[in-house]
Amino acid sequence: MDNNSSISSTSISILVLVVLVVLLLVLLVLVLLLIVQIVQIAVLRVLSDILLAVDRGDFAALVLLDLSAAFDTVDHAILLQRLESSFGIADVVLDWFRSYLSGRTQFVRCGGLRSSAVPLICGVPQGSVLGPVLFILYVADLAALIQKHDLSPHQYADDTQIYGSCSPSHVDEFSTKVSGCVNDVAGWMQSNRLQLNPEKTEFLWCSTCRRQHQLPTATLTIGSTTVAPVPSVRDLGIFVDSDLVMRTHVCQTVSRCFAALRQLRSIRHLVSATVFQSLVAALVLCRLDYGNGTLVGLPAYLISRLQSVQNAAARLIFRLRRYDHITDALVSLHWLRVPERIVFKVAVQTYRALQGDAPQYLRQFTSVADTPSRQRLRSSSSDRLLVPAVRLSTVGRRAFPVAGARIWNDLPSDVTSSPSLFTFKRRLKMHLFRLSYPDLTF
């Protein structure tokens, strides 16, 4: 009897442990998905502003600043002073932060030898929830400094982006302004114990394909270091080209996805079909979808390259030959084709913006009903959005305020009137699934 109860209690303990591990893994996945979504929104905002500037006929410039050991150089005394003076954190709450930061030491261990412990006066704990938040509060004054130069900042953790635009006739003055801004930022960082790394800072000029030859070649000067313009930059994992066609991003995505598929092929016989399908979704489709909201309106030949990845993934799951028909496989997997996956991402961000769940800088939509000239018309009761006027279909139409409004207006009313995000996604996928496979009857 005692043995049975002992076995039973052991089984219950193992079951509870397994449930806790599963819950932790689910929580980790949700946090990672949230981080990925925020990162993509940040790039979507910057790229949209640049697209609209280029559509007006301007040249746009983007500077990506690189910090050396950013989280490790946050001065505790300056941080606590800034929390109190800039954000009104005082008394007991400030003591909590002081207690959280103080009393930490570091040492070096090599084999059996260990150095003496040294108190830490700089740095926020990496891997913690508070670490990125404290760093953002520490560098919050940086945005106002950049805006004083009539340039736009965008910050995500320790990644700082500076961008702006000018007419082609004022390129020299604009270059001087950008150099002055970056040098002021470098000076501010130095006075706050942060170290800007000029050698890893990137500088990109943007224009349409036809005006690439007119882009300036002058370097950006940061102190004693010169930074030459580059043809493409990697912004939070998304490659942006100077002609804004996103060719580099597509090529890099296709290359990495096919490399993952080659590795998965070697283990296909070792796992079950369900596990293998999950691996393909995690290692290939997630890469395929990353940043795809910035790919709306791209040329068909680039979209077809991304579609070839999805087709190859489906063939690998069902062990199909290269020239076998792929539609039935995609349908059985319930996968939207690449063009519809892009539309899905933009439509979801538009819904979140309209519901107030997206960052303020993405809420740039105007309802037709809110337009004074249409308030007496029948369209005043419509949920359609006003599409901003643009010059170039290959540039301006790709900006999120334009693409989001156009995609939203093309959706049926039963989708746009969804009461929740979950319902919206479900109805949207059903609608796009029919568009992906028009020859099928549902």
Side-chain angles (χ1 to χ4, degrees):
M1 190 74 178
D2 293 338
N3 290 336
N4 290 336
S5 56
S6 176
I7 293 174
S8 177
S9 62
T10 302
S11 301
I12 293 175
S13 299
I14 294 175
L15 180 61
V16 170
L17 182 61
V18 169
V19 171
L20 288 175
V21 170
V22 171
L23 289 176
L24 287 174
L25 288 175
V26 170
L27 180 61
L28 179 61
V29 169
L30 291 176
V31 171
L32 290 175
L33 288 175
L34 179 61
I35 293 174
V36 168
Q37 180 180 347
I38 294 173
V39 169
Q40 295 180 73
I41 290 175
V43 181
L44 186 62
R45 183 267 176 104
V46 173
L47 184 61
S48 292
D49 290 347
I50 291 176
L51 285 167
L52 291 175
V54 172
D55 185 78
R56 293 193 302 266
D58 291 347
F59 289 161
L62 172 65
V63 182
L64 304 181
L65 303 181
D66 183 82
L67 296 177
S68 300
F71 282 53
D72 295 331
T73 54
V74 173
D75 187 276
H76 293 171
I78 297 176
L79 174 60
L80 292 172
Q81 180 184 4
R82 193 154 292 157
L83 290 176
E84 184 175 14
S85 61
S86 300
F87 300 99
I89 298 175
D91 302 327
V92 177
V93 179
L94 186 63
D95 291 337
W96 288 345
F97 282 105
R98 184 177 289 108
S99 173
Y100 177 75
L101 295 171
S102 62
R104 299 181 183 273
T105 59
Q106 67 177 2
F107 60 86
V108 177
R109 174 176 289 167
C110 183
L113 302 177
R114 198 189 92 166
S115 68
S116 57
V118 178
L120 280 174
I121 62 172
C122 292
V124 291
Q126 296 194 32
S128 64
V129 175
L130 275 180
V133 176
L134 291 175
F135 183 84
I136 291 172
L137 297 177
Y138 189 76
V139 299
D141 296 341
L142 200 57
L145 175 63
I146 296 172
Q147 289 170 346
K148 286 182 180 178
H149 292 267
D150 294 327
L151 296 171
S152 300
H154 196 90
Q155 296 168 271
Y156 179 80
D158 60 336
D159 291 295
T160 300
Q161 307 167 56
I162 303 173
Y163 63 98
S165 61
C166 68
S167 63
S169 59
H170 294 87
V171 166
D172 294 335
E173 296 91 332
F174 183 76
S175 298
T176 303
K177 181 168 66 174
V178 173
S179 294
C181 177
V182 174
N183 278 286
D184 285 351
V185 168
W188 184 93
M189 289 183 174
Q190 188 174 8
S191 64
N192 287 272
R193 296 206 174 203
L194 298 175
Q195 182 61 49
L196 179 65
N197 188 352
E199 295 181 355
K200 291 187 177 181
T201 295
E202 294 183 299
F203 178 39
L204 178 74
W205 281 105
C206 300
S207 73
T208 59
C209 297
R210 294 184 177 181
R211 303 180 71 178
Q212 285 290 299
H213 65 282
Q214 299 178 7
L215 288 178
T217 57
T219 58
L220 179 69
T221 304
I222 308 176
S224 59
T225 305
T226 57
V227 180
V230 293
S232 67
V233 296
R234 185 179 182 181
D235 187 5
L236 297 175
I238 298 176
F239 291 89
V240 180
D241 298 326
S242 61
D243 58 6
L244 302 173
V245 179
M246 309 296 287
R247 189 180 296 104
T248 301
H249 180 78
V250 172
C251 293
Q252 290 288 336
T253 300
V254 171
S255 176
R256 292 175 181 178
C257 287
F258 274 120
L261 286 173
R262 286 192 294 270
Q263 293 175 338
L264 288 170
R265 183 184 297 275
S266 63
I267 65 166
R268 182 174 56 184
H269 63 286
L270 301 176
V271 296
S272 65
T274 303
V275 172
F276 187 73
Q277 182 177 333
S278 299
L279 289 173
V280 171
L283 299 178
V284 179
L285 291 189
C286 285
R287 292 182 180 180
L288 196 64
D289 290 338
Y290 182 77
N292 63 349
T294 63
L295 306 182
V296 62
L298 288 191
Y301 76 93
L302 291 176
I303 300 299
S304 66
R305 294 199 60 186
L306 296 173
Q307 185 62 53
S308 69
V309 172
Q310 190 183 45
N311 294 347
R315 288 191 176 96
L316 184 60
I317 291 174
F318 289 104
R319 301 174 184 267
L320 300 177
R321 294 173 298 180
R322 182 175 182 181
Y323 296 104
D324 287 343
H325 198 58
I326 198 64
T327 300
D328 292 340
L330 295 176
V331 171
S332 62
L333 290 169
H334 301 282
W335 287 356
L336 296 174
R337 294 185 186 272
V338 170
E340 284 72 32
R341 297 176 85 91
I342 295 173
V343 170
F344 182 89
K345 180 68 69 66
V346 176
V348 168
Q349 293 298 347
T350 304
Y351 181 87
R352 290 172 60 89
L354 294 173
Q355 298 298 316
D357 294 334
Q360 184 65 39
Y361 53 75
L362 285 188
R363 304 176 198 174
Q364 305 173 18
F365 297 107
T366 303
S367 174
V368 171
D370 295 333
T371 306
S373 61
R374 301 194 181 188
Q375 289 181 352
R376 296 186 178 182
L377 303 178
R378 278 183 290 181
S379 60
S380 62
S381 60
S382 171
D383 60 355
R384 291 171 61 85
L385 300 176
L386 193 65
V387 180
V390 293
R391 294 173 56 249
L392 304 173
S393 60
T394 57
V395 180
R397 280 193 182 184
R398 291 175 47 209
F400 178 69
V402 182
R406 293 176 63 89
I407 288 173
W408 182 266
N409 291 343
D410 289 338
L411 297 177
S413 59
D414 67 302
V415 176
T416 56
S417 61
S418 300
S420 66
L421 180 62
F422 175 80
T423 305
F424 177 78
K425 287 183 176 180
R426 180 170 56 83
R427 293 177 180 177
L428 177 63
K429 184 171 181 179
M430 292 175 59
H431 169 69
L432 295 178
F433 203 79
R434 296 188 183 97
L435 295 181
S436 288
Y437 311 104
D439 296 333
L440 299 179
T441 56
F442 298 94

